[in-house]
Amino acid sequence: MVISAPSGGGKTTIREKLLKRDKRFRFSVTCTTRPMRPGEVDGKDYYFVTLKEFRRLRSGGKLLEWASVHGNMYGTPVKSVMTLLKKGLIPVMTIDVKGARSVKKIFPETVTVFLLPPGLKTLVGRLRKRREPAANIRVRLETAKKEIKEASFFDYLVINDRLSEAVGDIRDIADIECMKISRKQAEIQRFGLELLKFRL
Ligand code: ADP
Ligand code: 5GP
């Protein structure tokens, strides 16, 4: 599952809550060249890498997708996603809109969710609450103008008004998606084989 939103839309907050509440989901850690923020942990929030390391990963085919966001490089390691999928878990990627498109292109079964706060005033208020300087807020709102134009690409829209409701919506999306016939081929085949072998 890919979750995208304009900066301040609540990706990180929702992801943390979702992972605590529902053990089917696991964060697929991505890598970045941006400096670590206070409180962030290497390997938990991101793999913090140098630009040289990032380029090596990219040229070595180790990244599923990558993008430059606000002057820094970000990329999804293939390994992070595949390890979780093999364990039957749902990898959660909180990446930008361009990254969401790239992942969907490679894995069309990816479920893409776009998050929006209930209004622009709320978004600006939340960015301020995060103590973003005015210049940063301006840049993020400029980026948001481009991102909102891409919203219709996504499979689902979740409004992040009350946090627990938004998290509930994402869990509902997973429930519905898991029931899709296209994701149930193994069960159908198993039943079919039993039917073939069955004698009354
Ligand atoms: P993003 O990761 O998309 O940039 P964050 O998760 O950092 O966004 O959220 C931006 C700010 O908004 C944070 O200060 C966070 O605590 C706050 N926030 C997020 N979701 C909610 C919500 N549902 N209600 C109130 N505050 C929220
Ligand atoms: P931040 O630096 O605030 O953590 O993230 C900035 C932006 O980069 C956010 O929109 C975030 O979702 C996005 N991002 C984080 N990791 C990746 C990644 O691996 N790929 C892409 N395409 N975007 C990412």
Side-chain angles (χ1 to χ4, degrees):
M1 178 179 277
V2 169
I3 303 177
S4 299
S7 181
K11 295 179 291 294
T12 314
T13 312
I14 285 190
R15 184 183 76 211
E16 296 299 316
K17 189 111 181 169
L18 179 69
L19 265 55
K20 260 193 211 139
R21 258 219 230 159
D22 193 327
K23 298 298 173 206
R24 287 177 298 174
F25 295 93
R26 287 291 159 83
F27 177 41
S28 175
V29 182
T30 62
C31 56
T32 181
T33 61
R34 84 151 160 73
M36 211 187 281
R37 290 180 189 144
E40 284 184 328
V41 177
D42 188 25
K44 178 179 170 279
D45 298 286
Y46 283 105
Y47 297 113
F48 292 93
V49 296
T50 61
L51 187 56
K52 198 174 163 195
E53 283 168 323
F54 188 92
R55 286 186 176 140
R56 207 179 43 214
L57 289 169
R58 193 174 55 183
S59 60
K62 307 278 189 216
L63 301 180
L64 185 59
E65 61 76 39
W66 61 87
S68 164
V69 185
H70 303 136
N72 295 300
M73 298 305 292
Y74 294 83
T76 305
V78 181
K79 205 173 157 189
S80 301
V81 181
M82 296 317 289
T83 308
L84 296 175
L85 284 176
K86 277 184 198 152
K87 289 184 186 165
L89 297 162
I90 305 174
V92 178
M93 289 171 257
T94 45
I95 62 178
D96 82 328
V97 168
K98 185 175 171 282
R101 274 187 180 278
S102 307
V103 174
K104 184 90 175 183
K105 208 168 166 189
I106 299 168
F107 290 125
E109 64 274 35
T110 305
V111 179
T112 55
V113 178
F114 196 69
L115 278 182
L116 273 183
L120 183 58
K121 246 179 153 176
T122 312
L123 176 63
V124 176
R126 287 181 185 169
L127 284 168
R128 286 204 177 115
K129 187 178 133 198
R130 210 169 61 178
R131 299 183 187 282
E132 294 278 358
N136 278 9
I137 296 185
R138 231 169 278 129
V139 172
R140 278 159 175 70
L141 293 180
E142 276 309 308
T143 309
K145 283 184 195 166
K146 293 179 203 143
E147 290 165 331
I148 201 90
K149 285 190 193 145
E150 305 272 338
S152 53
F153 152 79
F154 286 81
D155 300 315
Y156 296 93
L157 174 72
V158 169
I159 301 295
N160 176 19
D161 189 355
R162 282 168 177 267
L163 187 58
S164 56
E165 280 174 24
V167 170
D169 287 347
I170 292 181
R171 295 179 71 195
D172 288 347
I173 291 169
D175 288 343
I176 292 289
E177 284 289 335
C178 287
M179 280 189 272
K180 277 196 171 161
I181 211 98
S182 57
R183 297 185 200 277
K184 295 285 183 191
Q185 293 311 306
E187 281 90 332
I188 293 169
Q189 272 180 16
R190 209 176 306 128
F191 197 93
L193 279 175
E194 275 183 45
L195 263 182
L196 280 176
K197 289 184 198 155
F198 189 72
R199 293 282 174 270
L200 255 189

